[in-house]
Amino acid sequence: GEASGRGSGGMSGADDGLLGRRSFFRRAWHFAFVRAKYALQYLFFSLVPLGQGLNGERRDFSITVSLTSFPPRLATLHLCVRSLLRQSMKPDRIVLYLGKDCEGVPLPRRLLALREHGLTIRTGCDDLRPHKKYMYAMRDYPEDCIITVDDDLLYDRDMIRGLWAAHLTHPDALVASRVHLMRQEGGRILPYRDWLQETGNVRGPSHALLSTDGAGSLFPPRCLPPEALDGDLAKKLCLNADDIWLKFMLLRAGTKVLWAGRRAGMPDEIRIRAEKKQALMDGNLTNDGNDGYIRAMEAYFKMNLADYC
């Protein structure tokens, strides 16, 4: 019976054990590789000396990199900022906007030291959650190209250069390092989880693309309507989903989204303790929160997102 089982595709207990051990070693190897990679990145971004991180040349445009953060991520935030200060194409400013949740929280010395290399820190912002990432910079620097980034990522050295190269091909479009392709069926938008995630199939500007702005997105001046900077309305309709809010604002302005391709590279995640991550996407995607925000936006602005797919 054992012989016939093997001949017909059966598997012995010894074979099961061998496969189990191989699977264990693969997982162990992957875990060790990820930890070693993070340790090397941590040492590199912590110890390698920085020069001046901002542009010092005269040019006919200005680039502002804008980000926000909150207390659980402040301890590792210097790593993200260092990756921005090391860009091959220098921005004109890097501005960190901190909300009132950071009041009374001592900022790490390693973060404060980066002000000498070009980081600007603005405190006391209203509690706009992820909307602080873009809203204040667009108010403060309306004529700049604004590049939004997240606080828990390490950015490729050519991120800004890649976004800028794509921007030059279509100057009126928002350029994003990471995009999702919206999908509809029967004239209604499909659930967010059924969209094509992180797609690279659409090479030109399109209304059907949604930019996930944390991986690096370049907003040209005046690509959004005035109501995009209405913080009270954003909190009322789309508090934790800045990507959804901005998608509707882009549509209202007639601005398309362009995938940057592989020019800008994809950032690496900064590994922090799981209980401290508190990632917005967990609630937005896992609990279908984005779908609720989409319905609220459609109802308020009397728009059907499926019409743009």
Side-chain angles (χ1 to χ4, degrees):
E2 182 179 339
S4 64
R6 288 175 181 172
S8 62
M11 186 174 293
S12 69
D15 291 334
D16 284 337
L18 179 60
L19 289 177
R21 288 193 294 274
R22 287 176 176 173
S23 177
F24 170 79
F25 284 119
R26 280 197 299 268
R27 292 195 302 270
W29 167 253
H30 177 73
F31 176 79
F33 174 79
V34 170
R35 294 300 295 267
K37 177 182 178 182
Y38 173 67
L40 290 173
Q41 287 175 328
Y42 187 93
L43 288 173
F44 177 81
F45 285 104
S46 295
L47 301 178
V48 172
L50 288 171
Q52 179 61 31
L54 301 184
N55 173 54
E57 302 176 358
R58 296 189 63 181
R59 54 192 188 189
D60 59 0
F61 59 89
S62 185
I63 295 175
T64 291
V65 175
S66 177
L67 71 160
T68 187
S69 192
F70 62 120
R73 289 186 180 162
L74 294 177
T76 56
L77 182 55
H78 68 285
L79 299 173
C80 170
V81 176
R82 278 179 166 266
S83 73
L84 299 171
L85 290 167
R86 293 184 63 257
Q87 291 292 302
S88 60
M89 181 178 182
K90 302 295 184 183
D92 294 277
R93 60 187 62 84
I94 300 173
V95 187
L96 169 64
Y97 292 95
L98 297 177
K100 295 179 180 178
D101 55 345
C102 292
E103 290 181 351
V105 179
L107 297 183
R109 287 182 295 176
R110 288 177 295 188
L111 179 64
L112 293 173
L114 297 180
R115 293 179 298 183
E116 298 179 6
H117 299 277
L119 174 66
T120 297
I121 301 176
R122 302 278 176 83
T123 59
C125 300
D126 290 338
D127 187 19
L128 297 176
R129 301 283 182 87
H131 300 279
K132 296 194 302 293
K133 179 168 51 183
Y134 67 91
M135 195 170 288
Y136 286 101
M138 291 183 179
R139 293 173 182 173
D140 293 342
Y141 310 105
E143 299 303 317
D144 283 15
C145 289
I146 305 295
I147 294 179
T148 59
V149 296
D150 273 350
D151 60 345
D152 60 344
L153 298 174
L154 296 172
Y155 291 90
D156 185 276
R157 183 174 173 81
D158 292 324
M159 183 267 291
I160 293 179
R161 185 178 299 278
L163 290 175
W164 186 255
H167 164 72
L168 293 179
T169 66
H170 296 279
D172 296 328
L174 180 150
V175 181
S177 298
R178 184 172 58 202
V179 297
H180 302 333
L181 181 64
M182 303 188 302
R183 299 176 63 209
Q184 63 89 24
E185 187 175 90
R188 297 303 302 170
I189 196 73
L190 287 175
Y192 185 90
R193 64 175 65 250
D194 293 330
W195 297 0
L196 295 182
Q197 309 289 318
E198 299 186 23
T199 183
N201 295 333
V202 182
R203 299 305 177 93
S206 174
H207 285 310
L209 293 177
L210 175 135
S211 60
T212 60
D213 302 311
S217 292
L218 185 153
F219 293 77
R222 296 173 297 280
C223 70
L224 297 173
E227 65 260 34
L229 304 185
D230 185 339
D232 291 336
L233 187 58
K235 287 194 293 184
K236 175 183 176 182
L237 297 176
C238 229
L239 177 59
N240 290 322
D242 55 319
D243 294 344
I244 300 299
W245 169 263
L246 287 170
K247 180 65 219 180
F248 276 84
M249 295 297 106
L250 291 165
L251 291 174
R252 290 178 62 78
T255 302
K256 295 182 178 180
V257 174
L258 174 68
W259 179 49
R262 292 178 175 81
R263 300 179 181 94
M266 286 303 296
D268 286 326
E269 184 179 6
I270 298 174
R271 296 177 63 85
I272 56 179
R273 291 174 60 184
E275 64 268 24
K276 288 189 174 183
K277 294 187 75 169
Q278 301 181 21
L280 291 170
M281 69 171 292
D282 290 342
N284 290 348
L285 180 56
T286 305
N287 299 323
D288 299 318
N290 279 332
D291 296 323
Y293 287 128
I294 289 170
R295 289 192 293 271
M297 294 288 287
E298 286 183 321
Y300 185 88
F301 289 107
K302 297 179 173 55
M303 296 172 63
N304 182 10
L305 199 56
D307 293 341
Y308 300 92
C309 292

